[in-house]
Amino acid sequence: MKTPPLLRPGDEVILLSPASHPKSDQWRQGVEVLESWGLKVRLAPHALSHYFGFGGSDEERLSDFQLALDDPAIKAIFPIRGGYGSSRILDQLNFETFIKQPKWIIGFSDITAILNHVANLGIASIHGPMPHNFCQVGGDEALEMLRNLLFEGKTHIEIEADSDNRLGKAESILVGGNLSLIVHLIGSKSLPDFRGKILLLEDVGENLYHIDRMVLQLKRAGILDQLAGLIVGGFSDCKEAGLSVGKNVNQIMLEHTFGSQYPIAFEFPSGHIAQNFPLVFGKNIKLLVNADKVQLTD
């Protein structure tokens, strides 16, 4: 796996909208944050375009992302937000220049499709906050972690243990992201090889029976049997519906991973939550889950 170069003050980064369009001006606060880090911020030509719910037509979003991949002056790519639409342009993108001169791509949610696609190409990326939600109340620590990760390249996360955790340790490459998107990628060339990997899963606004169905799909596809470890992030606003499965998210995960021996860390601060700790996908990471704490270090 190739890891993009660390950022330095004076580097130029680009904001674009490969999925949905920005719903507010919150992203402008994100620009101020990036500039306070000493970065030069460029707005892609169609970054604020609207095409129904998308951040521009497929052609406009494709053009912006291709520009970001190819321009040697750009050192990092920041989707403004997620939503839906990234996978609509993936097969038309040309990654030849990007593979030769990799740069950081940072995002989560719908950007999961892009992060896993580039992991398949052998390039590391960052699952973490985007400019639209840089300044969420309660997200200061995650934002500072992102700055440290981009400029210094170190991961050291330590949280309290959850009572549902499965104890153990693992060292491997971290991949994954939004559960709905991972299931969406099954059968496509954007789905990474999960064998021996540590898988991160998170989601938002899904009924619990939808969660059960998607995790069951990962199990039936053989993905859950092949892992070195599992990190379960935030499952925000995921509730029982009229069709009840009688289990919460943790119980669903434990049922469908029953019989496996790898460590599982629940309630990890990642996903559609204010404390969305940034994590490098495609880089070797150490996961330790013991009775008192969970550690994730490089």
Side-chain angles (χ1 to χ4, degrees):
M1 298 291 288
K2 292 183 181 179
T3 301
L6 297 176
L7 297 185
R8 297 178 298 179
D11 281 347
E12 184 174 10
V13 302
I14 192 168
L15 271 60
L16 37 64
S17 298
S20 295
H21 62 75
K23 290 184 176 180
S24 72
D25 284 342
Q26 285 179 252
W27 62 273
R28 296 187 187 277
Q29 292 179 292
V31 171
E32 293 174 3
V33 169
L34 293 172
E35 290 177 340
S36 75
W37 294 351
L39 299 171
K40 299 176 182 177
V41 180
R42 187 197 305 185
L43 200 61
H46 307 102
L48 304 181
S49 295
H50 284 212
Y51 181 77
F52 296 97
F54 301 109
S57 66
D58 287 355
E59 293 76 17
E60 288 173 330
R61 300 191 331 278
L62 175 64
S63 173
D64 280 0
F65 214 97
Q66 194 65 60
L67 167 69
L69 292 173
D70 293 344
D71 190 333
I74 294 170
K75 305 304 181 185
I77 301 170
F78 286 89
I80 294 174
R81 60 162 300 202
Y84 171 64
S86 298
S87 58
R88 291 181 60 90
I89 64 173
L90 269 178
D91 292 338
Q92 288 75 48
L93 286 168
N94 184 329
F95 288 91
E96 289 183 11
T97 300
F98 173 76
I99 292 170
K100 294 174 184 175
Q101 297 178 318
K103 58 193 73 177
W104 290 110
I105 301 174
I106 303 98
F108 72 106
S109 192
D110 191 69
I111 312 304
T112 292
I114 298 172
L115 303 184
N116 284 274
H117 190 89
V118 301
N120 245 7
L121 298 175
I123 309 295
S125 60
I126 295 176
H127 182 278
M130 294 179 284
H132 177 75
N133 48 41
F134 267 6
C135 298
Q136 284 188 90
V137 175
D140 293 350
E141 187 178 359
L143 191 58
E144 180 60 18
M145 281 187 176
L146 178 60
R147 188 190 69 81
N148 288 335
L149 194 55
L150 286 168
F151 285 87
E152 299 174 18
K154 294 296 182 182
T155 297
H156 186 96
I157 298 171
E158 186 172 307
I159 62 170
E160 293 183 4
D162 186 87
S163 59
D164 287 329
N165 285 355
R166 183 193 291 165
L167 308 187
K169 59 183 178 179
E171 181 175 356
S172 187
I173 289 172
L174 178 65
V175 289
N178 184 263
L179 172 61
S180 301
L181 267 294
I182 295 297
V183 172
H184 167 62
L185 296 178
I186 290 176
S188 77
K189 62 183 180 182
S190 300
L191 187 75
D193 184 350
F194 290 106
R195 287 175 294 183
K197 304 295 195 307
I198 298 173
L199 175 63
L200 167 72
L201 294 175
E202 64 84 28
D203 219 316
V204 62
E206 294 285 353
N207 292 329
L208 287 176
Y209 80 90
H210 292 168
I211 300 294
D212 183 68
R213 181 167 58 198
M214 289 187 286
V215 177
L216 177 59
Q217 177 63 16
L218 297 184
K219 179 182 179 181
R220 297 187 69 214
I223 291 171
L224 296 183
D225 297 332
Q226 304 170 347
L227 303 177
L230 177 62
I231 299 173
V232 182
F235 276 76
S236 314
D237 196 30
C238 294
K239 302 173 181 177
E240 282 282 26
L243 195 164
S244 172
V245 293
K247 295 180 174 67
N248 61 31
V249 170
N250 290 11
Q251 291 167 335
I252 289 169
M253 296 289 179
L254 288 170
E255 177 186 9
H256 294 311
T257 57
F258 181 78
S260 59
Q261 302 300 315
Y262 49 77
I264 303 178
F266 288 101
E267 300 297 334
F268 195 87
S270 178
H272 291 75
I273 53 179
Q275 284 290 41
N276 181 16
F277 285 1
L279 302 168
V280 178
F281 282 4
K283 183 180 178 182
N284 220 48
I285 204 83
K286 297 173 185 176
L287 171 65
L288 172 66
V289 183
N290 62 31
D292 301 317
K293 63 186 176 182
V294 172
Q295 284 185 333
L296 202 63
T297 55
D298 53 18

